[in-house]
């Protein structure tokens, strides 16, 4: 306001008169119009009240120019500061402040909205994660009793016969329980640990079936640092023992497990005469749900029951 004038008292008085107009217009914009009408998408009222604000503030700006002309320069236009002579320049000075501060207010509100949205998304994701963890835990709890029930039945039969294999079976069961208690709750375990667990389970089943079991477990190119979800493959193997049928007095089971840099390949087949793949117990349904939760869109599962063979072919994108 003091451009091309040396009358400091005039400039100070004019600015002090203009300042409340600028403050009032700005505060009305950032504390009422923007938060109450623009942000809440009440655009009609925002436009209407903005027009009211503009009319009233413009009227007050006109008064400020007359204040400078009448009271500060005694009706002598030559005594006025150059900028205060122009209604347009004074209005630009006022509304420039209003626009800049309003822009900062909008930026602040948008950043706050983004922060709240991010917090809400994080909360939703955490809730979904907890639900998935609870569902996974529930599915695991269904698997554990199923496995323990079969194993304890076998051990009970051996104990009745006072078989020499009973102590060895107890030791292997102890190893399996240790795995279930301390490893199965982890999101992922080493593939080699899971293989050891499967081997212990197969040895237990061999004791139960004696000469009526013909099983082959082939492992190729196992990468030692490869990881997999715990208790993921065992239900398939459990299922083959539980629902497989004897062929000429023998249950035939073939298992192949291999991996490369990106995938884990698991294949199992067992002799079967049941052509209804839906009647294969809760194990398969549970494992499908776990695969969807843990490896969504990162696995392929093919189940086939034909020619007296029940086959499962699984490929998982590994870690």
């Amino acid at each position: 306001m003091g451009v091309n004038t040396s009358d400091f008292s005039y400039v100070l008085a004019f600015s002090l008169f203009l300042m409340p107009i600028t403050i009032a217009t700005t505060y009305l914009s950032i504390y009422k119009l923007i938060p109450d009408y623009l942000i809440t998408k009440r655009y009609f009222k925002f436009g209407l009240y903005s027009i009211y604000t503009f009319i009233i503030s413009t009227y007050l700006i006109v008064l400020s120019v007359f204040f400078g002309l009448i009271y500060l320069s005694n009706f002598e236009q030559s005594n006025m500061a150059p900028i205060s002579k122009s209604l347009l320049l004074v209005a630009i000075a006022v509304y420039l402040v209003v626009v800049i501060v309003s822009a900062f207010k909008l930026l602040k509100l948008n950043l706050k909205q983004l922060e709240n949205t991010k917090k809400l998304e994080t909360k939703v994701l955490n809730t979904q994660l907890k639900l998935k963890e609870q569902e996974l835990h529930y599915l695991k709890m269904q698997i554990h009793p199923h496995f323990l029930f079969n194993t304890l039945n076998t051990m009970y039969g051996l104990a009745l016969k006072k078989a020499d294999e009973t102590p060895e079976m107890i030791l292997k069961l102890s190893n399996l329980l240790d795995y279930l208690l301390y490893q199965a709750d982890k999101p992922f375990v080493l593939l080699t640990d899971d293989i050891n667990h499967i081997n212990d389970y197969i040895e237990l089943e061999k004791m139960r079936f004696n000469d009526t079991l013909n099983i082959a477990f082939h492992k190729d190119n196992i990468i030692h640092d490869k990881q997999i979800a715990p208790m993921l493959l065992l239900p398939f193997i459990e299922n083959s023992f539980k629902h497989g049928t004897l062929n000429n007095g023998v249950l035939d089971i073939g298992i192949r497990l291999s991996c490369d840099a990106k995938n884990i390949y698991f294949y199992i087949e067992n002799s079967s005469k049941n052509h209804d793949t839906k009647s294969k117990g809760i194990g398969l349904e549970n494992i499908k749900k776990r695969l969807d939760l843990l490896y969504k869109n990162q696995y392929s599962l093919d189940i086939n029951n034909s020619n007296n063979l029940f086959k499962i072919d699984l490929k998982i994108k590994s870690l």
Side-chain angles (χ1 to χ4, degrees):
M1 293 299 172
V3 175
N4 294 329
T5 182
S6 58
D7 191 351
F8 177 76
S9 59
Y10 174 91
V11 173
L12 177 63
F14 185 82
S15 299
L16 289 176
F17 186 88
L18 197 61
M19 187 178 296
I21 302 172
T22 308
I23 293 174
T25 306
T26 303
Y27 272 49
L28 188 62
S29 173
I30 65 175
Y31 289 117
K32 190 65 180 177
L33 296 177
I34 292 176
D36 289 356
Y37 301 110
L38 181 61
I39 297 299
T40 58
K41 298 182 179 181
R42 299 160 69 182
Y43 299 122
F44 177 77
K45 287 190 175 181
F46 172 76
L48 181 64
Y49 293 146
S50 294
I51 292 172
Y52 290 164
T53 303
F54 176 76
I55 293 172
I56 295 172
S57 59
T58 302
Y59 171 74
L60 294 174
I61 290 171
V62 172
L63 287 182
S64 70
V65 173
F66 279 106
F67 171 78
L69 176 64
I70 297 173
Y71 292 99
L72 299 181
S73 60
N74 295 319
F75 291 96
E76 293 292 335
Q77 189 176 11
S78 59
N79 294 333
M80 297 175 67
I83 289 180
S84 66
K85 296 178 183 179
S86 171
L87 177 63
L88 178 62
L89 291 177
V90 175
I92 290 174
V94 172
Y95 292 126
L96 184 63
V97 175
V98 176
V99 169
I100 291 175
V101 177
S102 297
F104 275 105
K105 179 66 174 182
L106 277 172
L107 178 62
K108 182 179 178 181
L109 289 174
N110 284 333
L111 290 175
K112 186 177 181 180
Q113 182 67 27
L114 287 174
E115 184 180 357
N116 291 337
T117 302
K118 188 175 181 180
K119 287 181 179 179
L120 182 60
E121 289 177 351
T122 303
K123 187 176 180 180
V124 171
L125 288 175
N126 288 335
T127 303
Q128 291 177 343
L129 181 60
K130 288 180 180 179
L131 289 174
K132 286 187 176 182
E133 288 176 351
Q134 291 174 358
E135 186 173 355
L136 281 172
H137 180 71
Y138 171 72
L139 294 174
K140 288 179 183 178
M141 289 302 292
Q142 284 186 314
I143 294 170
H144 297 175
H146 180 217
F147 158 72
L148 290 174
F149 177 77
N150 290 338
T151 307
L152 289 174
N153 269 346
T154 303
M155 189 180 297
Y156 176 71
L158 291 174
L160 288 177
K161 297 176 183 178
K162 297 182 180 179
D164 295 335
E165 297 90 343
T166 305
E168 183 182 355
M169 193 170 192
I170 292 174
L171 179 61
K172 292 188 178 298
L173 179 60
S174 175
N175 293 335
L176 291 174
L177 288 176
D178 179 76
Y179 183 87
L180 292 175
L181 289 172
Y182 299 107
Q183 301 296 325
D185 285 337
K186 295 180 180 179
F188 296 96
V189 296
L190 290 174
L191 179 60
T192 52
D193 290 340
D194 210 56
I195 290 173
N196 293 333
H197 174 57
I198 291 172
N199 283 330
D200 285 339
Y201 175 79
I202 290 174
E203 290 302 317
L204 287 172
E205 291 291 4
K206 283 181 179 179
M207 295 177 188
R208 183 164 71 95
F209 278 83
N210 293 321
D211 296 332
T212 62
L213 176 65
N214 178 30
I215 184 168
F217 184 15
H218 299 287
K219 301 172 284 291
D220 300 315
N221 192 32
I222 302 301
I223 302 174
H224 291 286
D225 60 349
K226 188 73 69 177
Q227 291 187 322
I228 191 172
M231 298 290 293
L232 190 67
L233 304 179
L234 180 66
F236 292 119
I237 301 173
E238 278 190 84
N239 195 70
S240 67
F241 282 101
K242 183 178 180 182
H243 298 285
T245 57
L246 301 181
N247 184 14
N248 296 324
V250 176
L251 173 62
D252 294 308
I253 299 176
I255 306 171
R256 291 198 307 268
L257 180 62
S258 62
C259 55
D260 55 29
K262 294 183 178 180
N263 301 298
I264 295 174
Y265 304 92
F266 176 78
Y267 174 83
I268 183 171
E269 65 178 26
N270 61 269
S271 53
S272 173
K273 293 182 180 179
N274 190 344
H275 294 276
D276 183 9
T277 59
K278 296 181 180 179
S279 63
K280 293 297 179 180
I282 63 171
L284 283 180
E285 292 303 318
N286 285 350
I287 206 65
K288 287 177 183 177
K289 291 178 182 178
R290 287 190 68 203
L291 283 168
D292 285 334
L293 289 170
L294 294 169
Y295 297 98
K296 189 172 182 65
N297 300 325
Q298 294 182 325
Y299 79 95
S300 64
L301 177 65
D302 181 42
I303 300 175
N304 183 272
N305 193 1
S306 61
N307 299 324
N308 294 330
L309 282 177
F310 185 79
K311 305 174 185 178
I312 291 178
D313 197 352
L314 173 66
K315 183 178 79 170
I316 302 172
K317 188 175 181 181
S318 59
L319 301 177

